[in-house]
PDB file of all heavy atoms in Angstrom:
ATOM      1  N   PRO A  96       7.476  17.316  -8.062  1.00  0.00           N
ATOM      2  CA  PRO A  96       6.539  17.837  -7.114  1.00  0.00           C
ATOM      3  C   PRO A  96       5.182  18.060  -7.498  1.00  0.00           C
ATOM      4  O   PRO A  96       4.195  17.877  -6.711  1.00  0.00           O
ATOM      5  CB  PRO A  96       7.299  19.084  -6.522  1.00  0.00           C
ATOM      6  CG  PRO A  96       8.671  18.818  -6.970  1.00  0.00           C
ATOM      7  CD  PRO A  96       8.709  18.074  -8.182  1.00  0.00           C
ATOM      8  N   GLY A  97       4.989  18.525  -8.670  1.00  0.00           N
ATOM      9  CA  GLY A  97       3.653  18.892  -9.156  1.00  0.00           C
ATOM     10  C   GLY A  97       2.830  17.685  -9.566  1.00  0.00           C
ATOM     11  O   GLY A  97       1.664  17.832 -10.041  1.00  0.00           O
ATOM     12  N   ARG A  98       3.281  16.442  -9.266  1.00  0.00           N
ATOM     13  CA  ARG A  98       2.527  15.228  -9.382  1.00  0.00           C
ATOM     14  C   ARG A  98       2.449  14.534  -8.029  1.00  0.00           C
ATOM     15  O   ARG A  98       2.187  13.400  -8.078  1.00  0.00           O
ATOM     16  CB  ARG A  98       3.174  14.347 -10.585  1.00  0.00           C
ATOM     17  CG  ARG A  98       3.233  15.046 -11.906  1.00  0.00           C
ATOM     18  CD  ARG A  98       3.919  14.195 -12.857  1.00  0.00           C
ATOM     19  NE  ARG A  98       3.035  13.002 -13.327  1.00  0.00           N
ATOM     20  CZ  ARG A  98       2.038  13.012 -14.193  1.00  0.00           C
ATOM     21  NH1 ARG A  98       1.682  14.204 -14.847  1.00  0.00           N
ATOM     22  NH2 ARG A  98       1.487  12.035 -14.548  1.00  0.00           N
ATOM     23  N   ILE A  99       2.646  15.140  -6.976  1.00  0.00           N
ATOM     24  CA  ILE A  99       2.609  14.635  -5.661  1.00  0.00           C
ATOM     25  C   ILE A  99       1.391  15.218  -4.949  1.00  0.00           C
ATOM     26  O   ILE A  99       1.236  16.401  -4.846  1.00  0.00           O
ATOM     27  CB  ILE A  99       3.932  14.820  -4.865  1.00  0.00           C
ATOM     28  CG1 ILE A  99       5.144  14.156  -5.540  1.00  0.00           C
ATOM     29  CG2 ILE A  99       3.756  14.338  -3.484  1.00  0.00           C
ATOM     30  CD1 ILE A  99       6.471  14.478  -4.913  1.00  0.00           C
ATOM     31  N   ILE A 100       0.695  14.307  -4.297  1.00  0.00           N
ATOM     32  CA  ILE A 100      -0.526  14.637  -3.494  1.00  0.00           C
ATOM     33  C   ILE A 100      -0.319  14.188  -2.013  1.00  0.00           C
ATOM     34  O   ILE A 100       0.121  12.894  -1.870  1.00  0.00           O
ATOM     35  CB  ILE A 100      -1.740  14.076  -4.075  1.00  0.00           C
ATOM     36  CG1 ILE A 100      -1.989  14.558  -5.448  1.00  0.00           C
ATOM     37  CG2 ILE A 100      -3.046  14.268  -3.159  1.00  0.00           C
ATOM     38  CD1 ILE A 100      -2.671  13.618  -6.339  1.00  0.00           C
ATOM     39  N   PHE A 101      -0.515  14.992  -1.092  1.00  0.00           N
ATOM     40  CA  PHE A 101      -0.204  14.685   0.349  1.00  0.00           C
ATOM     41  C   PHE A 101      -1.619  14.527   1.110  1.00  0.00           C
ATOM     42  O   PHE A 101      -2.321  15.389   1.383  1.00  0.00           O
ATOM     43  CB  PHE A 101       0.602  15.818   0.935  1.00  0.00           C
ATOM     44  CG  PHE A 101       1.169  15.529   2.317  1.00  0.00           C
ATOM     45  CD1 PHE A 101       2.242  16.315   2.753  1.00  0.00           C
ATOM     46  CD2 PHE A 101       0.826  14.369   3.035  1.00  0.00           C
ATOM     47  CE1 PHE A 101       2.854  16.038   3.967  1.00  0.00           C
ATOM     48  CE2 PHE A 101       1.531  14.169   4.250  1.00  0.00           C
ATOM     49  CZ  PHE A 101       2.453  14.930   4.687  1.00  0.00           C
ATOM     50  N   GLY A 102      -1.797  13.255   1.475  1.00  0.00           N
ATOM     51  CA  GLY A 102      -3.052  12.853   2.253  1.00  0.00           C
ATOM     52  C   GLY A 102      -2.689  12.572   3.666  1.00  0.00           C
ATOM     53  O   GLY A 102      -1.651  12.833   4.107  1.00  0.00           O
ATOM     54  N   GLY A 103      -3.753  11.944   4.308  1.00  0.00           N
ATOM     55  CA  GLY A 103      -3.564  11.554   5.725  1.00  0.00           C
ATOM     56  C   GLY A 103      -4.262  12.488   6.763  1.00  0.00           C
ATOM     57  O   GLY A 103      -4.343  13.655   6.463  1.00  0.00           O
ATOM     58  N   VAL A 104      -4.466  11.908   7.888  1.00  0.00           N
ATOM     59  CA  VAL A 104      -5.186  12.643   8.855  1.00  0.00           C
ATOM     60  C   VAL A 104      -4.329  13.400   9.894  1.00  0.00           C
ATOM     61  O   VAL A 104      -4.927  14.235  10.629  1.00  0.00           O
ATOM     62  CB  VAL A 104      -6.035  11.590   9.784  1.00  0.00           C
ATOM     63  CG1 VAL A 104      -6.931  10.915   8.740  1.00  0.00           C
ATOM     64  CG2 VAL A 104      -5.291  10.653  10.625  1.00  0.00           C
ATOM     65  N   GLY A 105      -3.115  13.209   9.908  1.00  0.00           N
ATOM     66  CA  GLY A 105      -2.261  13.818  11.101  1.00  0.00           C
ATOM     67  C   GLY A 105      -0.978  14.478  10.615  1.00  0.00           C
ATOM     68  O   GLY A 105       0.136  14.036  11.091  1.00  0.00           O
ATOM     69  N   LYS A 106      -0.955  15.333   9.588  1.00  0.00           N
ATOM     70  CA  LYS A 106       0.272  15.963   9.129  1.00  0.00           C
ATOM     71  C   LYS A 106       0.725  16.866  10.217  1.00  0.00           C
ATOM     72  O   LYS A 106       0.059  17.690  10.697  1.00  0.00           O
ATOM     73  CB  LYS A 106      -0.127  16.742   7.900  1.00  0.00           C
ATOM     74  CG  LYS A 106      -0.807  15.852   6.737  1.00  0.00           C
ATOM     75  CD  LYS A 106      -1.171  16.850   5.505  1.00  0.00           C
ATOM     76  CE  LYS A 106      -2.101  16.110   4.507  1.00  0.00           C
ATOM     77  NZ  LYS A 106      -3.486  15.996   5.028  1.00  0.00           N
ATOM     78  N   THR A 107       2.047  16.850  10.424  1.00  0.00           N
ATOM     79  CA  THR A 107       2.644  17.744  11.460  1.00  0.00           C
ATOM     80  C   THR A 107       3.041  19.029  10.723  1.00  0.00           C
ATOM     81  O   THR A 107       3.036  19.196   9.522  1.00  0.00           O
ATOM     82  CB  THR A 107       3.942  17.161  11.974  1.00  0.00           C
ATOM     83  OG1 THR A 107       5.012  16.950  10.972  1.00  0.00           O
ATOM     84  CG2 THR A 107       3.691  15.728  12.526  1.00  0.00           C
ATOM     85  N   ASP A 108       3.306  20.098  11.561  1.00  0.00           N
ATOM     86  CA  ASP A 108       3.697  21.394  11.011  1.00  0.00           C
ATOM     87  C   ASP A 108       4.900  21.176  10.128  1.00  0.00           C
ATOM     88  O   ASP A 108       5.003  21.765   9.065  1.00  0.00           O
ATOM     89  CB  ASP A 108       3.965  22.295  12.119  1.00  0.00           C
ATOM     90  CG  ASP A 108       2.639  22.744  12.872  1.00  0.00           C
ATOM     91  OD1 ASP A 108       1.472  22.125  12.589  1.00  0.00           O
ATOM     92  OD2 ASP A 108       2.693  23.690  13.657  1.00  0.00           O
ATOM     93  N   ASP A 109       5.886  20.467  10.671  1.00  0.00           N
ATOM     94  CA  ASP A 109       7.148  20.176   9.805  1.00  0.00           C
ATOM     95  C   ASP A 109       6.859  19.636   8.419  1.00  0.00           C
ATOM     96  O   ASP A 109       7.470  19.910   7.511  1.00  0.00           O
ATOM     97  CB  ASP A 109       8.134  19.479  10.651  1.00  0.00           C
ATOM     98  CG  ASP A 109       8.791  20.260  11.774  1.00  0.00           C
ATOM     99  OD1 ASP A 109       8.720  21.495  11.868  1.00  0.00           O
ATOM    100  OD2 ASP A 109       9.433  19.469  12.660  1.00  0.00           O
ATOM    101  N   GLU A 110       5.954  18.567   8.492  1.00  0.00           N
ATOM    102  CA  GLU A 110       5.550  17.889   7.307  1.00  0.00           C
ATOM    103  C   GLU A 110       4.864  18.898   6.281  1.00  0.00           C
ATOM    104  O   GLU A 110       5.207  18.860   5.059  1.00  0.00           O
ATOM    105  CB  GLU A 110       4.784  16.736   7.491  1.00  0.00           C
ATOM    106  CG  GLU A 110       5.557  15.573   8.219  1.00  0.00           C
ATOM    107  CD  GLU A 110       4.597  14.337   8.662  1.00  0.00           C
ATOM    108  OE1 GLU A 110       3.427  14.647   8.968  1.00  0.00           O
ATOM    109  OE2 GLU A 110       5.026  13.221   8.507  1.00  0.00           O
ATOM    110  N   ILE A 111       4.061  19.720   6.819  1.00  0.00           N
ATOM    111  CA  ILE A 111       3.364  20.714   5.964  1.00  0.00           C
ATOM    112  C   ILE A 111       4.296  21.592   5.361  1.00  0.00           C
ATOM    113  O   ILE A 111       4.233  21.987   4.155  1.00  0.00           O
ATOM    114  CB  ILE A 111       2.193  21.356   6.787  1.00  0.00           C
ATOM    115  CG1 ILE A 111       1.088  20.315   7.040  1.00  0.00           C
ATOM    116  CG2 ILE A 111       1.687  22.544   6.054  1.00  0.00           C
ATOM    117  CD1 ILE A 111       0.058  20.864   8.043  1.00  0.00           C
ATOM    118  N   ASP A 112       5.242  22.250   6.243  1.00  0.00           N
ATOM    119  CA  ASP A 112       6.237  23.076   5.775  1.00  0.00           C
ATOM    120  C   ASP A 112       7.100  22.477   4.647  1.00  0.00           C
ATOM    121  O   ASP A 112       7.393  23.121   3.597  1.00  0.00           O
ATOM    122  CB  ASP A 112       7.130  23.494   6.970  1.00  0.00           C
ATOM    123  CG  ASP A 112       6.463  24.541   7.804  1.00  0.00           C
ATOM    124  OD1 ASP A 112       5.682  25.304   7.327  1.00  0.00           O
ATOM    125  OD2 ASP A 112       6.959  24.733   8.956  1.00  0.00           O
ATOM    126  N   PHE A 113       7.503  21.271   4.835  1.00  0.00           N
ATOM    127  CA  PHE A 113       8.307  20.554   3.828  1.00  0.00           C
ATOM    128  C   PHE A 113       7.461  20.400   2.448  1.00  0.00           C
ATOM    129  O   PHE A 113       8.075  20.720   1.471  1.00  0.00           O
ATOM    130  CB  PHE A 113       8.610  19.118   4.317  1.00  0.00           C
ATOM    131  CG  PHE A 113       9.437  18.250   3.535  1.00  0.00           C
ATOM    132  CD1 PHE A 113      10.227  18.766   2.465  1.00  0.00           C
ATOM    133  CD2 PHE A 113       9.491  16.904   3.691  1.00  0.00           C
ATOM    134  CE1 PHE A 113      11.046  17.888   1.661  1.00  0.00           C
ATOM    135  CE2 PHE A 113      10.252  16.003   3.083  1.00  0.00           C
ATOM    136  CZ  PHE A 113      11.035  16.576   1.917  1.00  0.00           C
TER     137      PHE A 113
END
Side-chain angles (χ1 to χ4, degrees):
R98 298 177 75 82
I99 296 175
I100 297 148
F101 194 166
V104 302
K106 307 174 190 74
T107 67
D108 290 6
D109 286 344
E110 289 175 325
I111 291 171
D112 282 339
F113 182 17

